[in-house]
Amino acid sequence: MNFDKNKFIASVKDATRMKYAKSFDSALEYEKFNAVSMTLMEMLSEDWNKTKESYGKKKQASYLSAEYLMGRALGNNLISLGLYTEVEETLKELGISLNAVEEAEEDAGLGNGGLGRLAACFMDSAATEDLPLTGYGIRYDYGIFKQKFEDGRQVEQVDNWLKYGDPWSVRRLEDAVMVEFADETIQAIPYDTPIVGYGTNNINTLRLWKAESVDAFDFKLFNDQDYTASVEKKNSAEDISRVLYPNDSEQAGKLLRLKQQYFFVSASLQDMIKDFKKKSNDFNEFPEYYAIQLNDTHPAVAVPEMMRLLMDNEGLAWDQAWSIVRRTFAYTNHTILAEALEQWWNGFYKEILPRIYEILVRIDEQFVAELEGKGYDADKIESMRIISNDMIKMAWLSIYGSYAVNGVAYLHTELLKHEELNDWYQLYPNKFQNKTNGITQRRWMALANKELSAYVTELLGTDEWVNNLEKIKELEKYADDEAVLEKFMAIKLQKKVQLAEYIKEHEGVEIDPDSIFDIQVKRLHEYKRQLLNAFHILDLYHKIKKDPSMDIVKRTFIFGAKAAPGYIRAKSIIKFINDIADLVNNDEDVAGRIKVVFVQNYRVSYGERIFSAADLSEQISMAGKEASGTGNMKFMLNGTPTIGTLDGANVEIVEEAGEENNFIFGLTVEDVNKLKGNYDPKVPYMTVPGLKEVVDALIDVTFDYTGDEDMQELYTSLLKGASWHAADNYFVFEDFAAYRDAQMKVDAAYRDKKAWARKCWMNMCNASKFSSDRTIREYAKDIWNIEKNRI
Ligand SMILES: *Cc1c(COP(=O)(O)O)cnc(C)c1O
């Protein structure tokens, strides 16, 4: 975008005066952030409108997602507009640091973890690829909670991300629609956020709905001085978009959550239908104008809601409506955790969405008839039908109502086809596809690692890699070039110094940038096995205590993770790791050789500092459990080898980067399947040297956990299991020895600086498959059938 320095300065100053009645110089940091952002909004508005108009003429895709983990917008938009340096220099002339202004922005944390971040990367990539994709979701007043530690335990605080306003969205009252529940009618008001493409003028849209009452408040009650009652309706309506449910993976069976789902799905479909009717009055053509992607099952109620809108509002017959539905929707499955497959008690549906329930019953009957026609037996039908035992199976509904179903990594899709969803694969083999996840290199490299980006651009002689990551493969020719690798590792050190400073300031812990930064950041979940990492650290500590002169490469173990507030075991694991940190960091015998730090409030903006500063990427989930992972890709792109299991996209990462440049260990999916049912964790517990000692730290005198029943329960879950699962359900004990061996290999490999640098380099050069640009192009071509539409 063209940049007129004087005009920019004048606009920023105007904005500050208009919004805050202050001069720019006297404005607070967040006020400056708002003024700069408002100015950029003004600058991009024309292209944004042009893009909207242009997209309206051809087939478009809509992404329905309950979560968008966007992070900050300012820096990313400046990169995409190609204005980062200009704005940085202009502000500098005014005596202002762009960095400080960026820091004033709250993360838009409207998602939990990988699923929500994927949606955000897809938005970025679609805009960059000139693809007509609109994101639809919920504008939560409060996003994912802010995390603090008190005495090593997680404390949650509300995330009031809108407290300074949101300069990056526009409230579009003219596009408001009504959403009806049995007990209330709500107004859905869209807030549009521009998604700036890189290397193009295209600007896509993220449309998030806010729930409001139809009448602001009851004036009569207010007049009668019944103040609480006067705002009751308003509050009840606004509750719907109040908070993001802070659950990752596990389903949240809450009535309000059901209302959230229906609310944003109904509003989004009405929005599309309104637009469609401007172009055609033949609804059979709807699938030629719109493809709708369901990001997991959270928006699955779109299937019966579309039926309702087509039949009740537009007068279509059932068969015609059903045919349209089945040519419109596609569904992405994100999990193989059985407990995460969403289901709803039909009583809730009957109560608040009676008409939708009627339609669901008919969909179920139609499906049963289809299966009977194919000769399926009664048991099989019961296990596959949409409504069974008073529960509505959202995944089954999504598969039945869609024309395409995809997993998110090769291994994941194979497991879906041949295990989890095998019945469905046999029924509809042609529906199943793989779409390996990706990440946007704009945020995770160009923005987060400007130093490495500049060097990559210098070596390539072009910055083409920013929207064509395949270019980066050309750098492989430098894999044995000492000067290049030295510069590369000097940049890595620089990023480590920056992270160390940030950690000192925010966590109060001093870490040594010359140590190996061994990092595990992701949501806290048993299957992700942060506990395996913790046990290894404690084992290393025990070894140092026994042999204080032990020769190991200095290492800093860094963790970052939020635990769902109700997930007690996950919270106990956080406490355990923080206690290990206390023990290790303060022991004179350790003499700084190992250090442990659990950073608070891991989120997108923290991640931007972390991925670029890592020496080792921990991807150690139990094989078969991590659908894809995307954190693994962010590390790889920033030149970080993985220590990991053959799970999710790790399989493809080592396929691309070479197994010799990573540290693969442990049980495979096949091993796990063989072991299931005849696994006795007491065997490794009693026989693997050192293991019993570290596991027993959960209950012995190592830490003072007297009276901590939760810690005892965590210990019991490993040795005895629980009513709902077997002992050591995620094979932490079984994989412990192999993990420790792999960690010893890391220690040995790191000593050879040149060979280590080469591994890092090879990871970066082979990361192009994991650009979300590639992923989104595949969705566009193989699923949505939409084309580039460049303005
Ligand atoms: C990428 C990302 C995730 C996903 O991490 P995984 O390791 O793939 O689970 C979660 N949270 C944040 C903030 C992220 O940036």
Side-chain angles (χ1 to χ4, degrees):
M1 175 168 281
N2 294 328
F3 187 69
D4 179 335
K5 191 168 105 184
N6 294 326
K7 205 171 148 200
F8 180 81
I9 293 173
S11 291
V12 168
K13 289 187 172 174
D14 280 351
T16 321
R17 272 194 299 271
M18 279 193 275
K19 191 160 168 74
Y20 301 109
K22 275 186 184 175
S23 70
F24 189 59
D25 299 329
S26 63
L28 301 172
E29 222 64 82
Y30 83 83
E31 293 170 339
K32 290 175 184 158
F33 156 73
N34 271 318
V36 170
S37 303
M38 285 163 68
T39 300
L40 292 166
M41 275 291 259
E42 184 198 344
M43 287 164 67
L44 59 76
S45 64
E46 198 182 325
D47 282 342
W48 192 11
N49 286 323
K50 275 192 205 156
T51 309
K52 222 173 298 172
E53 206 177 295
S54 178
Y55 284 178
K57 293 176 184 149
K58 290 186 186 159
K59 182 169 183 184
Q60 307 180 56
S62 299
Y63 201 73
L64 296 193
S65 178
E67 301 187 15
Y68 290 90
L69 194 54
M70 302 297 281
R72 291 174 175 154
L74 176 58
N76 196 68
N77 286 344
L78 284 172
I79 295 268
S80 287
L81 291 166
L83 297 180
Y84 194 94
T85 317
E86 284 87 343
V87 168
E88 187 177 35
E89 281 165 6
T90 305
L91 290 177
K92 204 192 222 162
E93 282 175 33
L94 299 175
I96 286 148
S97 135
L98 172 56
N99 241 311
V101 174
E102 284 179 73
E103 282 297 303
E105 182 173 4
E106 293 285 319
D107 274 44
L110 309 185
N112 273 293
L115 175 150
R117 185 53 232 174
L118 183 76
C121 284
F122 280 1
M123 290 301 114
D124 184 276
S125 284
T128 295
E129 292 288 321
D130 299 318
L131 288 164
L133 176 71
T134 297
Y136 283 102
I138 301 172
R139 189 177 199 254
Y140 303 102
D141 293 332
Y142 303 101
I144 184 72
F145 64 86
K146 289 193 168 166
Q147 177 199 53
K148 269 187 144 184
F149 296 146
E150 280 174 18
D151 185 31
R153 290 181 193 277
Q154 170 174 298
V155 176
E156 300 100 22
Q157 295 175 327
V158 291
D159 164 45
N160 190 6
W161 71 290
L162 291 168
K163 63 175 177 261
Y164 302 132
D166 172 21
W168 291 107
S169 66
V170 182
R171 178 180 167 98
R172 300 229 185 265
L173 202 51
E174 73 269 31
D175 290 341
V177 295
M178 296 293 176
V179 176
E180 278 178 50
F181 298 94
D183 59 340
E184 57 184 343
T185 297
I186 308 290
Q187 235 190 131
I189 300 177
Y191 283 70
D192 286 358
T193 294
I195 307 291
V196 183
Y198 179 93
T200 170
N201 294 327
N202 281 38
I203 297 179
N204 287 9
T205 300
L206 173 63
R207 173 161 275 197
L208 302 180
W209 302 96
K210 181 176 191 297
E212 289 188 11
S213 172
V214 180
D215 349 273
F217 71 110
D218 192 315
F219 197 76
K220 184 172 180 311
L221 286 172
F222 187 81
N223 238 3
D224 298 344
Q225 304 191 4
D226 191 347
Y227 301 122
T228 316
S230 76
V231 291
E232 218 167 69
K233 264 175 128 177
K234 174 171 154 57
N235 288 345
S236 149
E238 291 176 4
D239 277 345
I240 291 179
S241 57
R242 188 97 59 206
V243 287
L244 167 79
Y245 278 91
N247 270 312
D248 191 58
S249 303
E250 281 163 294
Q251 55 152 325
K254 297 267 165 38
L255 197 58
L256 192 57
R257 166 110 165 163
L258 177 56
K259 280 197 165 180
Q260 288 186 334
Q261 295 181 345
Y262 181 72
F263 164 74
F264 95 89
V265 160
S266 177
S268 307
L269 293 177
Q270 289 183 56
D271 199 48
M272 287 175 245
I273 287 175
K274 229 195 307 184
D275 174 74
F276 170 77
K277 284 162 103 175
K278 291 182 202 151
K279 304 164 196 168
S280 167
N281 45 27
D282 178 4
F283 272 96
N284 289 316
E285 291 179 350
F286 190 83
E288 286 150 46
Y289 286 88
Y290 275 104
I292 303 176
Q293 192 70 32
L294 307 175
N295 192 26
D296 213 318
T297 56
H298 314 140
V301 71
V303 171
E305 172 64 0
M306 189 70 178
M307 292 297 287
R308 186 188 73 82
L309 291 168
L310 291 176
M311 294 189 303
D312 299 2
N313 290 7
E314 309 299 337
L316 269 63
W318 176 276
D319 287 341
Q320 195 189 356
W322 183 249
S323 149
I324 293 164
V325 161
R326 281 192 123 191
R327 287 181 288 132
T328 300
F329 291 105
Y331 156 60
T332 304
N333 174 288
H334 283 271
T335 184
I336 2 190
L337 301 179
E339 68 270 25
L341 283 182
E342 199 177 19
Q343 4 182 346
W344 286 96
W345 177 50
N346 62 7
F348 286 150
Y349 266 80
K350 285 182 198 168
E351 189 188 324
I352 63 169
L353 298 168
R355 174 65 179 139
I356 292 296
Y357 186 66
E358 257 177 37
I359 293 170
L360 282 168
V361 168
R362 189 152 170 206
I363 291 174
D364 175 61
E365 286 167 1
Q366 174 183 277
F367 181 56
V368 168
E370 181 182 325
L371 292 185
E372 281 168 353
K374 291 196 153 101
Y376 278 56
D377 68 38
D379 283 351
K380 190 56 101 193
I381 290 175
E382 199 55 40
S383 76
M384 292 179 75
R385 64 188 296 177
I386 315 296
I387 307 173
S388 163
N389 285 322
D390 291 338
M391 299 300 285
I392 305 166
K393 313 288 186 67
M394 303 313 272
W396 299 176
L397 172 65
S398 302
I399 303 172
Y400 184 45
S402 295
Y403 64 88
V405 176
N406 74 284
V408 291
Y410 171 78
L411 177 67
H412 171 56
T413 303
E414 288 303 300
L415 292 173
L416 289 181
K417 290 196 300 199
H418 302 294
E419 291 179 26
E420 295 304 309
L421 302 181
N422 183 248
D423 288 340
W424 291 91
Y425 179 56
Q426 289 190 24
L427 181 60
Y428 305 124
N430 299 327
K431 280 195 190 187
F432 285 75
Q433 301 190 21
N434 174 243
K435 292 285 166 282
T436 298
N437 281 168
I439 56 159
T440 164
Q441 67 267 31
R442 266 82 57 194
R443 182 174 295 269
W444 298 111
M445 180 93 148
L447 176 69
N449 200 343
K450 298 196 187 72
E451 297 83 353
L452 186 54
S453 295
Y455 191 47
V456 164
T457 298
E458 180 192 324
L459 289 175
L460 287 172
T462 163
D463 61 1
E464 225 180 281
W465 61 272
V466 183
N467 57 0
N468 176 14
L469 196 57
E470 271 148 51
K471 279 298 274 187
I472 211 166
K473 177 85 177 170
E474 288 174 23
L475 296 181
E476 224 185 72
K477 66 182 178 212
Y478 296 113
D480 298 299
D481 185 320
E482 275 186 39
V484 168
L485 293 186
E486 235 166 68
K487 175 88 201 276
F488 174 56
M489 293 317 274
I491 289 168
K492 176 75 78 187
L493 181 62
Q494 203 181 343
K495 299 310 287 182
K496 288 166 74 178
V497 169
Q498 290 167 7
L499 179 62
E501 280 166 6
Y502 191 84
I503 284 180
K504 174 85 178 81
E505 188 185 332
H506 289 85
E507 320 300 337
V509 182
E510 217 155 313
I511 58 175
D512 180 359
D514 281 325
S515 63
I516 299 177
F517 280 14
D518 176 333
I519 307 186
Q520 187 170 22
V521 286
K522 46 184 76 254
R523 282 299 290 261
L524 206 309
H525 210 290
E526 289 164 274
Y527 85 80
K528 291 177 183 277
R529 300 200 297 191
Q530 282 94 349
L531 202 49
L532 177 59
N533 191 343
F535 285 154
H536 167 253
I537 298 168
L538 197 54
D539 179 62
L540 202 53
Y541 172 73
H542 288 155
K543 285 203 176 104
I544 292 174
K545 292 302 279 182
K546 274 177 210 142
D547 172 14
S549 66
M550 187 178 159
D551 175 30
I552 55 164
V553 181
K554 212 170 174 185
R555 226 195 262 225
T556 304
F557 296 94
I558 298 171
F559 292 86
K562 288 177 185 174
Y567 191 175
I568 306 296
R569 277 187 202 162
K571 289 181 147 178
S572 296
I573 293 170
I574 290 178
K575 168 70 173 157
F576 184 56
I577 295 172
N578 275 321
D579 286 343
I580 293 174
D582 256 1
L583 178 71
V584 168
N585 298 356
N586 299 307
D587 191 313
E588 285 179 6
D589 286 347
V590 173
R593 271 171 295 177
I594 54 176
K595 235 177 186 172
V596 183
V597 50
F598 204 133
V599 305
Q600 302 170 88
N601 204 28
Y602 171 57
R603 61 197 183 282
V604 171
S605 59
Y606 216 140
E608 288 162 17
R609 298 171 180 282
I610 289 173
F611 294 110
S612 54
D615 293 308
L616 190 64
S617 159
E618 296 270 356
Q619 307 301 336
I620 58 178
S621 53
M622 169 188 155
K625 292 293 177 188
E626 190 72 88
S628 165
T630 49
N632 46 4
M633 302 168 184
K634 300 168 198 164
F635 282 112
M636 181 198 198
L637 178 62
N638 281 279
T640 309
T642 296
I643 182 166
T645 48
L646 284 177
D647 198 16
N650 297 352
V651 174
E652 291 158 80
I653 284 177
V654 297
E655 205 171 276
E656 297 294 309
E659 195 157 342
E660 70 282 7
N661 296 315
N662 292 283
F663 301 87
I664 295 300
F665 72 93
L667 301 171
T668 61
V669 171
E670 291 75 36
D671 297 334
V672 163
N673 285 343
K674 264 184 249 156
L675 206 54
K676 260 182 202 160
N678 51 38
Y679 172 52
D680 179 4
K682 294 236 176 46
V683 175
Y685 174 74
M686 296 307 295
T687 59
V688 174
L691 180 56
K692 181 174 187 302
E693 230 180 323
V694 294
V695 174
D696 288 356
L698 289 167
I699 49 152
D700 67 18
V701 297
T702 311
F703 307 113
D704 185 15
Y705 294 142
T706 25
D708 187 335
E709 285 170 22
D710 297 339
M711 206 59 82
Q712 175 73 49
E713 199 280 334
L714 175 60
Y715 176 82
T716 306
S717 77
L718 294 166
L719 280 142
K720 299 207 175 81
S723 58
W724 67 95
H725 71 75
D728 188 16
N729 204 28
Y730 299 104
F731 300 99
V732 172
F733 296 0
E734 186 65 21
D735 264 343
F736 179 76
Y739 178 59
R740 182 169 55 189
D741 286 347
Q743 283 288 20
M744 289 194 315
K745 284 183 191 146
V746 169
D747 181 283
Y750 194 80
R751 290 165 197 257
D752 184 341
K753 288 271 186 276
K754 256 185 265 169
W756 183 267
R758 192 180 195 282
K759 287 185 202 299
C760 297
W761 189 256
M762 290 298 283
N763 272 281
M764 181 186 77
C765 295
N766 289 288
S768 79
K769 177 174 180 186
F770 307 104
S771 167
S772 46
D773 298 349
R774 186 272 311 152
T775 314
I776 212 74
R777 283 195 301 267
E778 287 182 7
Y779 275 90
K781 180 168 166 287
D782 304 339
I783 299 181
W784 303 331
N785 192 24
I786 57 170
E787 283 170 358
K788 282 178 184 281
N789 185 346
R790 197 179 176 98
I791 63 163

